Amino acid sequence: MRHLDDAPRGHLGLGALLLVGLSALSCAPPAPAPSPARDVLPSWQDRSLSPDQRAERLLAELTREEKLTLLTGYFGIQKPTNDYRFPEARPQSAGLVRGLPRVGFPPQWQTDAGSGVATQGEAPPELERTLLPSGLATAATWNPELAEQAGAMIGSEARASGFNVMLAGGVNLMRDPGNGRNFEYGGEDPLLAGTMVGALVRGVQSNQIVSTIKHFALNDQETGRNSVDIVIDEGAARLSDLLAFQLALEQGDPGSVMCAYNLVNGEYSCQNDWLLNQVLKRDWGFPGYVMTDWGAQHDTVLNANHGLDQETGVQRQGQYQFLDKLSAAVDRGQVPDERLDDMVRRVARTLIAKGAVDAPGQPGPIDFAAHARISQADAEEGIVLLKNERDVLPLGGKRIAVIGGHADVGVLTGGGSAQVYAPGGNAVPGLEPANWPGPPVYAKSSPLLALRAELPEAYVSWTDGSDPVRAARAAAQADAAVVFVTQWTAEARDVLLTLPEDQDRLVAAVARAQRRTVVVLETGGPVLMPWADSVPGIVAAWYPGSQGGPAIARVLSGAVNPSGHLPVSFPRAIEQLPRPIIVGLGLPRGERFQVRYDEGAAVGYRWYERQGFDPLFPFGHGLSYTRFAHQSLAARLEDGELRVRFEVRNTGARGGKVVSQVYVAPVAGGWEAPRRLGAFAKVELAPGAQTQLDLRVDPRLLAVWDGERGGFRVAPGEYQVTIAQAAVEGEQSVKLTLPERLLPAGAGGS
Ligand code: BGC
């Protein structure tokens, strides 16, 4: 079966559209609709009742057809030829679930995604909205308050754009740096990713809309995403990808979960009883609803019985499961009546509980200036100073040569369904691929112009980088050079880690001509840097969002002291990776194949440490223009939980923000890797200032999975606690003995 994501979006044949339209009209059995008295509110709308009571009453009023309506979502793109086009769908949006006017239940207007209100590929004009830095950039801030503010901002734009469901909260772990969607996610560590994405979701939902965490689960590569079967041991999954979801669900309380395209251990995610019924709903007690990724539904009876609640993104005849086939399956007794009601109850209760029903989103004004400040703050804290030798940064000197990466006009953004068009539109139109998941879009925010504004005394020249010889000449004539390199990544396609378009040659040429060369990376995730030893400065700016220009310029000039830390490890060479090249590249589309996650829960830095590999830049790494020192580390047990206290001091001459990282390790070993991140905190300190921090380590981060008991188990024994500023270093360690502790699979950890 072909899936939506495999085709250019919005290009359906008329025949298919007609079929879809007919199907939509013909699916429902005729059911007489009781009409409530005009001036009496239907009882479910009584706001003094609890969401559960209201959902129950609503359910009692609905016909079979109305129930099915709440369970069926359509792809939101509208074209004049679109036969199933509903006038209430928001133009160029991800999706629509029709409302029930008879009982006053609103439509569900769905928009992507985690960096702002996205525009689906179709004819212009695109909706222009504030673009946050990529999810990975936000994770690099290690600042959950900032992520929450960022989420609140994009959620408010979703609301002001008439949406009440935001498909925001990507928390798939980075297992393969070449995954084209890494930019949408929160990195390689379950604690960091779960905390940061949970905070973003919390912010989104503060706008009385539903946020959808995704893609559940183990959708960690795009290659063959509809046919890849991820094979992983349950314990390894519970301690890695699933733990990231679990933490994000606890901290963000998203109303819905989107099940993924891929299979897990032999079964499609959206009909995977283990994932949906056992892990998500039983063990974690998830009260919300599960929606499909767009077109990820396969078998009606399995979908319904194994935990799917809503099909979304329906575009073609043959894709309808619930609308066309669920009713018959219920009548035949293949799906219990109660299960149908449970699906409806979950959808309705969640929308009521999150406020999306009583305060429906209405198109309204947006304060773009205020939102730009939030996006910029996020970008400034997410930029990671990877290397700074000979004090090449902050930039000094009178003549600075800026080279490459379209830095004269904008900053790169990530493509696919998460594509947001920042105010001003695309600064570099006409790039390939022209069709979805393209075109590559540059947000109109020029680092070059921002640098000129930041450094008014300096002469800042511009060279486009297409000719390494010319670029080297410009660099030689300056006191320092800044080379911008880019790699566009997008949904539905993975990448190799080598920078495209010979940019490595450009950097090497500039580095030979100018010893004070700084490279700024605008990439979706890690890339290889064969020239890393030959330049004194490297800055990871990710996709920095609609204010990327000034954010980068302020870090380079020193107006902002960098405080981002890596949420992912950067390999030195692909041979260091568990899978040097993504499995399945080049296989015929649709052919089922397996990817075995034999590294288990040893993801990212855990893998490197276990293998004894020295990455180019480790997880947690990030330099500052000042220095911080930790001391007085002490660990103790309090109410059965590990708590860690320490002091941190700014020992340099500038104010800045430190990210204190607590790593934990069983002295006797026995984990998937030597150690794990157990806790972290970010604090701002004036020069010479010091503070004391006291952090709790979630017991699940000290545990292994006990398959027999179906829960987490902290083994009794001695543990080492280390305070560090990156996964490979440690400033101080202490040891402590922990008693055995058993925790249920759904332990909230507190
Ligand atoms: C993506 C989802 C997205 C949906 C709607 C799918 O192709 O995988 O992340 O929310 O489209 O646009």
Side-chain angles (χ1 to χ4, degrees):
M1 178 171 159
R2 278 191 82 195
H3 286 277
L4 175 63
D5 58 297
D6 295 326
R9 296 196 163 206
H11 294 278
L12 280 188
L14 184 58
L17 289 166
L18 284 172
L19 282 171
V20 171
L22 286 175
S23 153
L25 293 174
S26 64
C27 68
S35 52
R38 282 223 166 273
D39 47 355
V40 181
L41 275 184
S43 63
W44 76 269
Q45 291 194 12
D46 180 347
R47 295 185 190 188
S48 67
L49 301 175
S50 72
D52 285 298
Q53 291 168 322
R54 290 176 66 183
E56 214 48 60
R57 292 196 185 183
L58 176 70
L59 191 62
E61 290 185 39
L62 299 185
T63 64
R64 172 76 67 85
E65 181 186 0
E66 287 168 336
K67 291 178 184 176
L68 297 174
T69 301
L70 291 187
L71 305 181
T72 304
Y74 304 87
F75 197 38
I77 285 187
Q78 302 178 68
K79 303 182 76 171
T81 51
N82 216 340
D83 203 51
Y84 71 87
R85 180 168 184 250
F86 301 108
E88 67 267 42
R90 307 288 184 216
Q92 301 198 55
S93 68
L96 169 78
V97 178
R98 285 178 298 155
L100 304 175
R102 184 185 70 82
V103 293
F105 198 84
Q108 295 157 55
W109 293 283
Q110 302 161 326
T111 182
D112 288 296
S115 285
V117 177
T119 294
Q120 296 285 333
E122 208 194 356
E126 290 87 11
L127 199 62
E128 291 179 4
R129 291 292 179 262
T130 307
L131 170 63
L132 284 176
S134 62
L136 206 53
T138 299
T141 67
W142 294 60
N143 183 343
E145 287 81 39
L146 200 51
E148 185 169 351
Q149 258 181 41
M153 183 273 279
I154 59 169
S156 79
E157 292 202 4
R159 206 182 146 67
S161 309
F163 295 102
N164 52 14
V165 178
M166 192 165 209
L167 310 172
V171 71
N172 295 98
L173 287 191
M174 189 189 90
R175 285 177 179 266
D176 294 284
N179 174 9
R181 297 190 87 170
N182 282 333
F183 77 91
E184 295 188 52
Y185 303 143
E188 68 189 28
D189 178 74
L191 174 65
L192 179 66
T195 305
M196 298 303 293
V197 174
L200 182 104
V201 163
R202 204 161 55 236
V204 169
Q205 291 194 155
S206 65
N207 294 284
Q208 296 172 294
I209 63 176
V210 167
S211 198
T212 301
I213 208 161
K214 63 191 187 183
H215 308 87
F216 193 65
L218 292 140
N219 184 186
D220 302 341
Q221 70 171 53
E222 290 297 284
T223 300
R225 66 176 175 172
N226 293 302
S227 53
V228 62
D229 180 11
I230 302 300
V231 181
I232 188 168
D233 162 80
E234 165 160 20
R238 294 271 193 174
L239 294 169
S240 58
D241 293 64
L242 296 185
L243 185 55
F245 271 98
Q246 191 175 7
L247 294 170
L249 280 156
E250 287 163 10
Q251 296 182 32
D253 191 24
S256 60
V257 168
M258 183 187 288
C259 51
Y261 287 123
N262 54 287
L263 300 92
V264 175
N265 292 334
E267 186 54 280
Y268 284 107
S269 299
C270 292
Q271 57 191 47
N272 194 311
D273 185 62
W274 173 63
L275 278 179
L276 304 182
N277 278 340
Q278 298 177 41
V279 175
L280 178 68
K281 292 183 175 175
R282 184 197 64 197
D283 293 349
W284 300 347
F286 176 63
Y289 61 100
V290 177
M291 66 166 73
T292 56
D293 199 341
W294 268 221
Q297 57 276 55
H298 290 269
D299 179 308
T300 311
V301 173
L302 291 181
N303 281 145
N305 288 339
H306 289 177
L308 177 69
D309 301 303
Q310 187 182 60
E311 66 171 348
T312 45
V314 172
Q315 191 180 9
R316 301 191 183 108
Q317 171 67 4
Q319 274 189 332
Y320 293 97
Q321 297 297 324
F322 291 168
L323 191 67
D324 280 353
K325 302 172 190 157
L326 184 56
S327 198
V330 172
D331 290 340
R332 280 198 297 267
Q334 292 168 302
V335 174
D337 243 320
E338 305 78 65
R339 174 63 190 125
L340 173 65
D341 284 355
D342 177 46
M343 294 155 93
V344 177
R345 197 182 288 118
R346 281 174 175 271
V347 171
R349 196 205 72 89
T350 304
L351 286 150
I352 294 168
K354 299 297 179 195
V357 166
D358 296 333
Q362 286 299 330
I366 290 174
D367 186 346
F368 284 106
H371 292 184
R373 286 193 289 277
I374 293 172
S375 181
Q376 187 166 329
D378 190 354
E380 288 176 354
E381 278 208 26
I383 291 174
V384 183
L385 179 57
L386 292 174
K387 183 174 181 185
N388 190 17
E389 283 175 2
R390 305 196 289 273
D391 287 332
V392 66
L393 290 173
L395 283 177
K398 291 217 157 37
R399 293 162 308 166
I400 294 160
V402 174
I403 297 161
H406 299 287
D408 56 331
V409 287
V411 287
L412 188 55
T413 68
S417 60
Q419 181 70 61
V420 176
Y421 283 79
N426 189 355
V428 188
L431 297 176
E432 291 291 331
N435 290 324
W436 194 90
V441 173
Y442 280 75
K444 268 195 183 149
S445 178
S446 159
L448 172 73
L449 299 184
L451 208 50
R452 285 182 178 153
E454 276 300 311
L455 302 170
E457 312 283 284
Y459 171 70
V460 183
S461 69
W462 166 245
T463 312
D464 69 12
S466 57
D467 176 359
V469 176
R470 200 151 39 88
R473 204 178 305 133
Q477 286 164 0
D479 302 316
V482 183
V483 190
F484 285 81
V485 294
T486 59
Q487 183 181 43
W488 182 69
T489 61
E491 180 180 339
R493 59 204 292 282
D494 294 325
V495 292
L496 299 174
L497 302 188
T498 299
L499 285 171
E501 292 159 16
D502 236 357
Q503 293 177 90
D504 287 337
R505 202 157 67 88
L506 171 70
V507 176
V510 173
R512 272 195 302 275
Q514 172 55 261
R515 62 189 295 275
R516 298 181 70 74
T517 291
V518 176
V519 178
V520 178
L521 305 167
E522 288 175 24
T523 64
V527 289
L528 296 176
M529 293 178 250
W531 34 259
D533 287 342
S534 61
V535 296
I538 306 177
V539 172
W542 318 106
Y543 300 142
S546 46
Q547 294 300 111
I552 292 170
R554 278 160 56 80
V555 168
L556 295 179
S557 73
V560 165
N561 191 352
S563 65
H565 285 249
L566 288 181
V568 290
S569 314
F570 275 52
R572 209 170 271 286
I574 56 170
E575 289 72 27
Q576 292 187 327
L577 300 170
R579 286 166 295 282
I581 300 216
I582 287 191
V583 181
L585 269 175
L587 276 183
R589 178 176 283 165
E591 191 168 303
R592 176 93 58 96
F593 64 102
Q594 287 190 340
V595 175
R596 308 186 68 85
Y597 285 164
D598 290 334
E599 75 277 22
V603 181
Y605 64 94
R606 301 182 189 181
W607 165 261
Y608 287 79
E609 210 168 353
R610 177 172 105 182
Q611 301 299 110
F613 293 154
D614 174 30
L616 182 61
F617 295 111
F619 173 83
H621 170 72
L623 302 173
S624 163
Y625 296 148
T626 186
R627 279 181 309 281
F628 301 97
H630 291 91
Q631 58 190 18
S632 312
L633 175 67
R636 67 187 190 283
L637 263 181
E638 199 176 290
D639 302 330
E641 307 227 308
L642 174 59
R643 299 204 65 111
V644 182
R645 185 180 295 151
F646 54 87
E647 284 164 10
V648 56
R649 171 192 287 275
N650 181 346
T651 58
R654 295 184 50 135
K657 292 182 182 172
V658 61
V659 174
S660 302
Q661 303 165 36
V662 174
Y663 290 89
V664 288
V667 172
W671 285 359
E672 71 285 346
R675 58 182 178 164
R676 304 173 181 158
L677 179 70
F680 65 89
K682 188 171 200 178
V683 277
E684 182 160 21
L685 290 172
Q690 165 170 325
T691 191
Q692 190 182 65
L693 293 172
D694 194 331
L695 307 179
R696 165 182 172 268
V697 178
D698 188 310
R700 288 167 293 187
L701 297 168
L702 295 159
V704 292
W705 180 253
D706 182 335
E708 265 171 37
R709 286 204 192 80
F712 296 93
R713 174 174 181 267
V714 181
E718 210 179 12
Y719 288 77
Q720 175 158 306
V721 175
T722 301
I723 183 80
Q725 294 180 58
V728 288
E729 298 153 13
E731 286 167 65
Q732 228 192 323
S733 290
V734 292
K735 287 191 184 135
L736 171 98
T737 299
L738 297 179
E740 181 180 43
R741 190 161 172 205
L742 303 173
L743 299 137
S750 50

